[in-house]
Amino acid sequence: MAHEDTFVMVKPDGVRRRLVGEVLSRFEAKGLDLHRLEMVLPDRATATAHYAEHEGKPFYDGLIDFIASGPVVVMHWSGESAVTVARALVGATDPAVALPGTIRGDFGLEVGENIVHGSDSPASAARELGLWFG
Ligand code: DAT
Ligand code: MG
């Protein structure tokens, strides 16, 4: 167990659906510490860098279009095992199978619009925090 930093983003669908407060409350209630929060309209360069690991996959172009389709809310959280804890709060990638009690499980149904992103490792968190917060 270790103190970690992680990157979380409310995606354009989550902002459009007014779920920013809901996402924030869940992370705060869990006990993680919020360090930075900003609403930004992602440019395509940032969106493609963020999802570089998925380049070439069938859903990649649609994913970039989606992330650049409207404002997102980017956040820096920290705490004990923050990367794992954030992923647990977010839930499985496909909201149709994400467990109830998770954000995706409670509010989503389609993998292409799954409301929120959470870094998948401390290394990804460091890369994504640098990318979005400079
Ligand atoms: P996660 O966001 O849970 O880390 P991921 O890194 O595997 O999931 O994929 C990144 C995003 O790409 C995911 O949040 C939604 C989209 N995505 C993944 N698999 C997909 C698929 N089969 N069809 C459409 N979109 C997909
Ligand atoms: Mg991922």
Side-chain angles (χ1 to χ4, degrees), residues 72-113:
V72 299
V73 173
V74 291
M75 295 171 256
H76 172 181
W77 293 90
S78 78
E80 178 62 38
S81 303
V83 170
T84 307
V85 167
R87 294 279 288 187
L89 293 173
V90 167
T93 302
D94 184 352
V97 300
L99 292 175
T102 66
I103 295 165
R104 287 168 173 170
D106 286 348
F107 297 105
L109 204 53
E110 292 178 31
V111 69
E113 299 201 348

Side-chain angles (χ1 to χ4, degrees), residues 9-16 39-43 47 63-73 132:
M9 167 170 59
V10 182
K11 299 183 183 183
D13 59 325
V15 173
R16 282 193 281 266
M39 176 176 268
V40 292
L41 179 60
D43 55 39
L63 178 60
I64 300 306
D65 288 344
F66 167 62
I67 291 297
S69 71
V72 299
V73 173
W132 291 92

Side-chain angles (χ1 to χ4, degrees), residues 51 53-54 87 93 104 117-120 128:
Y51 280 125
E53 65 173 306
H54 297 298
R87 294 279 288 187
T93 302
R104 287 168 173 170
H117 165 87
S119 305
D120 64 8
E128 293 166 2

